[in-house]
Amino acid sequence: MYKSVPTPLLDHQYHDYISVAVDAALAAGEIIRHAFKQPKKVEEKQNHADLVTATDKAAEDLIFNRIRRSFPDHHFIGEESSAAATGGVSEQLGDSPTWMVDPLDGTTNFVHGFPFVCTSIGLAVGRVVVVGVVYNPVLEELFVAAEGGGAYLNGERLAASGRTQLAGAVVGTEVGTSRDSETLDAMFGRMRALAALSRSVRCTGSCALGLCSVALGRCDVFFEINFGGCWDAAAGALMVSEAGGTVLDPAGAPWHVMSRRVLAAGSGELGRAVAAVLGGCKLGSGEAAPPGLGMGPSLRGRGRGEEEGRGEKV
């Protein structure tokens, strides 16, 4: 397997950041790979659908320690170390370089031996995501992206599908971990609306890998509302943008990394079409609302056919 920084990124302005992130992701991946088929001690966080294991915690500690050795003045936001996955985290994002880490995205998959698990590492500088690394150690897929430098899978340049019509699109999303009736009704309402208009809908259990699937062209669309935090989407969103896709808020507005909402598509036209459908769907009272007007976009890149604008408030 290709286990290094993609050749076109060796001279990138963020090469040092990319190299350290790749090294940390690969090392964390070894922890995950070793534990994947072993007995696991599982703890519940908010409910029976929201899990954490010792592997999540060990992988995050390793990643933070490796990055801090090289960049001791940088800031960190990690899923397992954040005080609360749904509150107060936005205050941690400033202009200083900030690493956003999900040490094991797809913990339920990990517990059940389903191979869609990954480590996701994103870096924001000046509140804009500039580096992303996502590594699935089970399938040995290493995704790397850098602002203005493209996105890569195992060293090969990625290109989103470019599909413009929803009728032929494969749409990815996730069920999430909330189990109250209102949230479930809202979530399945969105899935039903898009299933009726698209070719098919997929749920594979990882927001980061769902976004990478759009960058790779495996899916034409991925959206999720109310995921855990910035660590789930930072790296994957950059992957889509650098692969020529588009990343929006599900309401059609510019995407913000702290919003706990994301919509990615193989083209701007398709992204806007999906946002229009989602605009007719209910949002649960406990789900993350669209970002405020004062929250600027978190990606500088413009994907294929992307135009700025604001859509419905889903």
Side-chain angles (χ1 to χ4, degrees):
M1 182 209 141
Y2 189 94
K3 292 187 176 181
S4 61
V5 175
T7 301
L9 298 181
L10 292 177
D11 295 325
H12 194 277
Q13 64 173 323
Y14 296 130
H15 170 265
D16 290 348
Y17 299 156
I18 300 165
S19 180
V20 170
V22 168
D23 174 72
L26 291 172
E30 288 304 308
I31 292 176
I32 295 168
R33 191 205 318 276
H34 177 76
F36 187 68
K37 294 185 179 180
Q38 303 299 319
K40 303 170 182 70
K41 182 179 179 181
V42 182
E43 300 175 19
E44 295 181 3
K45 292 196 276 190
Q46 298 184 52
N47 57 41
H48 65 278
D50 192 6
L51 308 179
V52 65
T53 70
T55 303
D56 296 71
K57 298 172 183 177
E60 182 170 290
D61 288 345
L62 181 150
I63 293 167
F64 279 16
N65 288 336
R66 293 226 174 183
I67 296 176
R68 282 193 176 109
R69 276 205 309 253
S70 297
F71 310 112
D73 296 330
H74 287 194
H75 294 182
F76 295 81
I77 305 174
E79 179 176 14
E80 306 312 327
S81 59
S82 289
T86 58
V89 177
S90 61
E91 297 176 3
Q92 300 180 45
L93 181 61
D95 290 330
S96 298
T98 302
W99 295 89
M100 303 171 180
V101 176
D102 192 336
L104 204 175
D105 191 31
T107 300
T108 297
N109 288 347
F110 174 73
V111 168
H112 290 271
F114 194 74
F116 291 100
V117 300
C118 69
T119 290
S120 177
I121 302 174
L123 173 66
V125 177
R127 304 174 191 258
V128 173
V129 182
V130 298
V131 171
V133 175
V134 176
Y135 178 45
N136 181 336
V138 181
L139 300 182
E140 295 193 322
E141 293 184 333
L142 175 64
F143 296 87
V144 182
E147 183 186 64
Y152 303 82
L153 169 57
N154 293 345
E156 298 294 323
R157 186 85 181 240
L158 296 182
S161 69
R163 186 178 298 278
T164 59
Q165 301 299 313
L166 184 53
V170 173
V171 178
T173 189
E174 298 300 340
V175 173
T177 58
S178 297
R179 291 296 180 266
D180 62 280
S181 294
E182 183 190 14
T183 301
L184 288 173
D185 287 346
M187 182 269 298
F188 281 115
R190 294 189 288 268
M191 290 178 65
R192 179 183 177 88
L194 285 169
L197 298 172
S198 65
R199 179 162 291 163
S200 190
V201 175
R202 298 284 185 267
C203 297
T204 55
S206 165
C207 179
L209 288 176
L211 291 165
C212 287
S213 291
V214 176
L216 182 58
R218 284 175 179 162
C219 286
D220 303 294
V221 176
F222 179 84
F223 78 96
E224 188 173 358
I225 294 174
N226 223 43
F227 50 82
C230 57
W231 47 80
D232 288 305
L238 180 65
M239 217 72 60
V240 173
S241 179
E242 289 297 323
T246 189
V247 183
L248 303 168
D249 183 84
W255 175 71
H256 194 280
V257 68
M258 305 306 294
S259 65
R260 299 173 57 226
R261 301 158 48 95
V262 69
L263 165 60
S267 70
E269 183 177 346
L270 181 57
R272 292 188 293 275
V274 173
V277 174
L278 294 175
C281 300
K282 180 178 73 171
L283 184 68
S285 61
E287 294 187 297
L293 294 177
M295 298 176 75
S298 296
L299 296 170
R300 290 195 186 94
R302 297 281 293 279
R304 185 186 289 114
E306 184 178 346
E307 296 174 4
E308 294 187 9
R310 296 189 175 271
E312 301 295 329
K313 294 186 178 180
V314 62

